[in-house]
Amino acid sequence: MKALAPFVLFSVLAAPTLAGAQQSTSDTNSVQDRPAVTFNEIERGLYFSVQGGPSFIVNPPAEEGERPFSSGQMAQVEVGFDIGDRLSLGVFLMGAANRAGSDYVGNSGGAASGDFSYLVPGAVARVHLVGFADNQEVKRTWIYARGGVGYTLFSPKLLLPDSDILVFAGPGVEYYTRLRHFSVGLEVSASYLVSSGSFGFAVSPNLRYAF
């Protein structure tokens, strides 16, 4: 019995120390570093874009008389959503003003002549075809194809009383900046007014913000 006394005394003295060490180890394991916040190099999802530039109609709508080459300016706003990194779908509102001269009487039968403008609400789709990576292996530059269709309303009504359907398509190049949400691009598109058989084209820089 006397031989066991030192072991009993040691156990009594060591128990609190071992319990404290176990608690300290448990506390250390329960406290972990906060996970680092990572950001996407390119934001995709809901987006808003604006674009504009020179636009041209080769043969403006007209039932009779001259159909002179018409130059003008176009502006467009678009809201849409990215589906992955290849496809985007959206709706747009386009406005344009074109010069035609006093010899252009449109569909007025001679009651009006001169310049005209138009407003086009519609839907659009864009497909990214080829991407080029930068030195960080992030594909920031893309070649894309974009096309859409819209309902065209002309002004003044006396000159062009009938609405039309506009279809357009063309290639573009887009660069996603290091600001993550922003991209800039340049697009060339060909257009066609279905009812009047009018052909046109436009060159439009664009700016895009993804939320």
Side-chain angles (χ1 to χ4, degrees):
M1 192 67 180
K2 291 183 179 180
L4 293 176
F7 294 102
V8 173
L9 180 60
F10 175 79
S11 298
V12 171
L13 295 176
T17 303
L18 293 175
Q22 185 176 2
Q23 180 66 32
S24 177
T25 302
S26 176
D27 292 343
T28 302
N29 291 335
S30 64
V31 178
Q32 299 178 352
D33 293 335
R34 181 177 299 176
V37 178
T38 59
F39 297 99
N40 296 325
E41 288 289 339
I42 296 174
E43 292 292 341
R44 290 187 171 90
L46 180 66
Y47 69 85
F48 173 81
S49 70
V50 294
Q51 65 184 80
S55 64
F56 309 90
I57 300 179
V58 177
N59 53 338
E63 292 179 350
E64 59 184 24
E66 294 189 13
R67 303 180 72 176
F69 182 88
S70 176
S71 61
Q73 293 290 326
M74 177 273 293
Q76 184 176 154
V77 295
E78 180 182 334
V79 177
F81 193 82
D82 296 319
I83 303 174
D85 60 355
R86 292 281 182 172
L87 177 64
S88 301
L89 300 176
V91 294
F92 70 88
L93 181 65
M94 178 196 302
N98 281 66
R99 298 185 60 84
S102 59
D103 294 334
Y104 176 66
V105 297
N107 295 330
S108 70
S113 64
D115 304 340
F116 63 94
S117 61
Y118 54 93
L119 187 67
V120 188
V124 67
R126 181 175 60 175
V127 179
H128 283 156
L129 302 175
V130 182
F132 302 94
D134 61 7
N135 56 7
Q136 296 179 334
E137 299 303 319
V138 178
K139 289 185 177 180
R140 295 189 181 277
T141 304
W142 288 87
I143 303 296
Y144 68 85
R146 179 174 175 269
V149 59
Y151 186 72
T152 307
L153 301 168
F154 294 100
S155 180
K157 280 292 185 182
L158 185 59
L159 181 66
L160 294 168
D162 301 323
S163 58
D164 209 330
I165 299 298
L166 175 72
V167 293
F168 64 90
V173 58
E174 184 173 28
Y175 175 73
Y176 289 86
T177 70
R178 295 181 185 273
L179 296 178
R180 292 176 44 227
H181 295 277
F182 288 94
S183 64
V184 294
L186 180 66
E187 181 178 313
V188 179
S189 60
S191 61
Y192 180 68
L193 289 166
V194 176
S195 298
S196 64
S198 300
F199 293 92
F201 61 95
V203 180
S204 52
N206 56 74
L207 173 65
R208 186 172 180 270
Y209 181 90
F211 295 89

